[in-house]
Amino acid sequence: MSQPYYLQGSPFAIRMNNVIGWLARHGVSLLGSQELSVRGRKSGKMQRIPVNPHTHEGAQYLVSARGHSQWVRNMRAAGGGELRVGRRNRAFTAVEIADDEHKALVIRTYLERWGWEVNEYFKGITAKSTDAELLAACPDHPVFRITVGS
């Protein structure tokens, strides 16, 4: 069995993520970016990474452009986390989308919004790709529907 798809960030991308995360922690959201905190499945410590929450048909989603990353594995174990911009923390629950047809719709609109930033992680898939191409890419890009607690 082959390893699930995961694209490690370059040193530059890691530095940029650190800057974007720092900005989000201090109240500056770049085009909607937020800082995700999710409890580590092994360490038990909160792990932080900047993300681009995406709204599709009124529901909010987190899409893993880089594939089966550590935050994805932690989210599967934790079942939720927190999104933060400045002092505003929003706790949420997360359910991974198993239906590839649903995922493909979310990924297409995600790429329409964020493709300029993330297309390189989708191995040639763009918002203009065919339905079949998007469906083929779905196993490589986990998608979580998030529901913010009251």
Side-chain angles (χ1 to χ4, degrees), residues 56-57 59-61 63 95-109 135 138 143-145:
H56 173 73
E57 295 184 349
Q60 279 211 295
Y61 296 88
V63 176
V95 176
E96 188 166 5
I97 304 301
D99 176 26
D100 282 348
E101 289 185 15
H102 183 183
K103 278 173 66 172
L105 295 171
V106 173
I107 290 172
R108 183 181 302 281
T109 59
L135 281 169
C138 282
V143 175
F144 294 87
R145 181 177 179 165

Side-chain angles (χ1 to χ4, degrees), residues 17-140:
N17 274 351
N18 288 337
V19 169
I20 293 167
W22 185 89
L23 289 169
R25 275 191 307 281
H26 291 85
V28 179
S29 173
L30 300 178
L31 301 172
S33 63
Q34 297 181 37
E35 184 178 65
L36 166 68
S37 295
V38 61
R39 188 158 311 280
R41 66 196 182 285
K42 295 179 183 178
S43 71
K45 297 179 182 175
M46 294 301 272
Q47 306 295 315
R48 300 182 312 208
I49 187 165
V51 293
N52 299 321
H54 177 63
T55 301
H56 173 73
E57 295 184 349
Q60 279 211 295
Y61 296 88
L62 293 176
V63 176
S64 180
R66 293 182 183 273
H68 297 265
S69 62
Q70 292 300 318
W71 79 257
V72 166
R73 295 170 186 172
N74 290 336
M75 186 70 67
R76 287 174 177 149
E82 296 177 349
L83 290 171
R84 176 180 180 170
V85 176
R87 293 182 181 171
R88 183 175 165 218
N89 255 353
R90 298 182 308 141
F92 65 87
T93 58
V95 176
E96 188 166 5
I97 304 301
D99 176 26
D100 282 348
E101 289 185 15
H102 183 183
K103 278 173 66 172
L105 295 171
V106 173
I107 290 172
R108 183 181 302 281
T109 59
Y110 177 81
L111 291 171
E112 286 170 356
R113 172 73 172 99
W114 295 104
W116 62 273
E117 182 182 357
V118 300
N119 270 347
E120 66 184 286
Y121 310 129
F122 280 83
K123 300 187 288 187
I125 301 300
T126 70
K128 294 181 180 178
S129 294
T130 66
D131 290 346
E133 291 168 333
L134 279 166
L135 281 169
C138 282
D140 290 340

